[in-house]
């Protein structure tokens, strides 16, 4: 048992180090392109790394396999995080990231299904869950083993289509569907509780027939356990309320709504890379 726990601890530390390395890619992408959503990229990164490096049944070789797991980034403006994870997993060369938001590049500011590994173009907030419900329902009808995952921003939950999707998922008992709420409590115009209060999420989701799990969204161990529990839950879909920190990993970005969509200057760029490298190294200690 001690050997198993030691191996698991090493695995979690490796994933955490990967997450900080990929955040550095995000900083470079956004700084060069002069556009992007760094704060949300950093809050969601650990969720994406845990999924793509540990829990999802998909690889570059199986990207078109009908039995692959499906992922939809409903909060599509955090696409830089998704691009960096896909590149890290080998879905396309990492050098492609250098073309982000450049003229005629397919790596645009929202997920683009012309990019290997992207299931659908997203970014119109509130659509990802409904599409994921359709994918999950199709899997049930086909008696396929694949699972469907979607990540939404907490500000996105003000969209009515989210709750239409939630109602349908509960009605069809889609236990092959896991939704994740990136609960960083900040959106472009301020805090979620000031813009559209939603601290009653447990009651909301459970009333639609969902299994509700809470996780520390920037903690690999907590996320790992939450995704495993979701896989083992039968007869209803699962939502993971992932409490995250906007801008996680860079001190001057953390919990700052202004970093929803802001470009670092030269000094901030260098400091961000230095801090992320320090966090990457510390992950192994």
């Amino acid at each position: 048992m001690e050997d198993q726990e030691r191996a698991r601890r090493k695995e979690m530390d490796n994933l955490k180090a990967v997450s900080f390395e990929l955040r550095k890619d995000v900083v470079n992408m956004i700084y060069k392109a002069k556009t992007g959503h760094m704060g949300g990229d950093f809050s969601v990164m650990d969720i994406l790394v845990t999924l793509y490096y540990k829990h999802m049944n998909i690889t570059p070789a199986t990207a078109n396999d009908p039995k692959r797991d499906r992922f939809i980034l409903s909060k599509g403006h955090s696409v830089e995080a998704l691009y960096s994870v896909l590149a890290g997993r080998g879905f396309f060369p990492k050098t492609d990231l250098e073309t982000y938001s450049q003229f005629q590049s397919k790596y645009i500011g929202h997920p683009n299904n012309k990019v290997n590994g992207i299931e659908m173009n997203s970014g119109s907030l509130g659509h990802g869950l409904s599409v994921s419900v359709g994918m999950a329902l199709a899997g049930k009808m086909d008696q396929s083993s694949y699972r469907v995952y979607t990540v939404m921003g907490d500000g996105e939950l003000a969209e009515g289509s989210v709750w239409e999707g939630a109602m349908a998922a509960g009605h069809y008992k889609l236990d092959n569907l896991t939704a994740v709420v990136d609960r960083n409590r900040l959106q472009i115009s301020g805090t979620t509780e000031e813009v559209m209060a939603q601290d009653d999420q447990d009651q909301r989701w459970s009333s639609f027939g969902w299994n509700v799990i809470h996780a520390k969204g920037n903690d690999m161990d907590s996320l790992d356990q939450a995704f495993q529990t979701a896989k083992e839950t039968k007869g209803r879909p699962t939502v993971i309320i992932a409490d995250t920190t906007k801008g996680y990993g860079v001190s001057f970005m953390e919990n700052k709504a202004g970093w929803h969509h802001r470009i670092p200057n030269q000094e901030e760029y260098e400091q961000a890379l230095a801090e992320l490298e320090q966090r990457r190294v510390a992950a192994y200690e």
Side-chain angles (χ1 to χ4, degrees):
M1 289 295 293
E2 288 184 5
D3 289 342
Q4 290 180 346
E5 180 57 29
R6 190 178 299 111
R8 185 173 184 278
R9 184 71 270 145
K10 182 178 180 179
E11 180 183 32
M12 295 298 104
D13 290 344
N14 286 340
L15 292 181
K16 176 60 70 175
V18 166
S19 77
F20 288 122
E21 183 65 27
L22 296 181
R23 283 178 172 91
K24 288 163 60 179
D25 291 340
V26 168
V27 172
N28 284 319
M29 290 167 62
I30 291 177
Y31 181 72
K32 179 179 180 179
K34 305 304 179 189
T35 186
H37 295 81
M38 202 174 296
D41 287 327
F42 286 2
S43 66
V44 79
M45 181 64 81
D46 300 298
I47 297 167
L48 300 183
V49 169
T50 306
L51 277 174
Y52 276 92
Y53 282 75
K54 176 74 186 287
H55 281 277
M56 282 180 58
N57 178 31
I58 187 171
T59 67
T62 62
N64 296 309
D65 188 328
K67 295 182 180 179
R68 73 190 181 281
D69 285 348
R70 274 78 165 163
F71 175 79
I72 302 294
L73 183 64
S74 191
K75 51 170 286 182
H77 53 281
S78 291
V79 70
E80 300 90 5
L82 180 56
Y83 287 158
S84 66
V85 169
L86 290 174
R89 291 286 287 125
F91 283 82
F92 50 81
K94 198 169 183 178
T95 52
D96 283 10
L97 299 178
E98 298 172 10
T99 73
Y100 169 66
S101 279
Q102 304 300 308
F103 181 60
Q104 294 187 328
S105 173
K106 62 185 175 182
Y107 299 94
I108 56 178
H110 285 84
N112 176 15
N113 62 9
K114 293 180 181 178
V115 173
N116 191 37
I118 302 289
E119 296 285 350
M120 68 166 279
N121 296 7
S122 62
S124 297
L125 296 177
H127 291 187
L129 180 60
S130 293
V131 172
S132 298
V133 167
M135 290 178 168
L137 183 56
K140 288 291 187 181
M141 295 171 70
D142 292 341
Q143 298 184 329
S144 181
S145 60
Y146 70 75
R147 297 187 60 79
V148 183
Y149 297 89
T150 186
V151 172
M152 299 172 286
D154 49 7
E156 178 179 356
L157 300 189
E159 300 285 356
S161 54
V162 169
W163 303 106
E164 293 181 36
M167 179 169 55
H171 175 77
Y172 291 110
K173 299 178 171 38
L174 300 179
D175 53 14
N176 58 343
L177 172 63
T178 299
V180 184
V181 177
D182 181 7
R183 188 73 169 112
N184 61 39
R185 295 180 172 271
L186 291 173
Q187 55 193 97
I188 193 168
S189 51
T191 70
T192 55
E193 300 315 293
E194 292 170 336
V195 176
M196 191 63 66
Q198 51 180 277
D199 266 341
D200 58 348
Q201 282 202 43
D202 287 68
Q203 297 95 321
R204 291 193 196 188
W205 289 100
S206 60
S207 71
F208 286 110
W210 286 63
N211 175 42
V212 182
I213 300 174
H214 284 265
K216 297 176 183 177
N218 297 123
D219 182 291
M220 297 299 186
D221 189 65
S222 181
L223 288 168
D224 179 43
Q225 293 181 46
F227 283 121
Q228 186 59 42
T229 299
K231 290 179 181 178
E232 296 168 356
T233 299
K234 303 303 179 183
R236 53 181 174 162
T238 292
V239 60
I240 299 171
I241 311 298
D243 291 313
T244 63
T245 298
K246 195 151 192 160
Y248 182 76
V250 177
S251 60
F252 60 85
M253 296 183 189
E254 291 185 353
N255 278 319
K256 299 292 194 304
W259 281 98
H260 179 88
H261 187 277
R262 180 183 160 188
I263 311 306
N265 59 34
Q266 179 69 29
E267 181 180 355
E268 292 168 333
Y269 166 74
E270 293 175 358
Q271 182 179 344
L273 290 179
E275 288 191 21
L276 290 169
E277 176 60 15
Q278 291 173 355
R279 298 290 292 270
R280 185 192 70 79
V281 172
Y284 292 114
E285 296 176 352

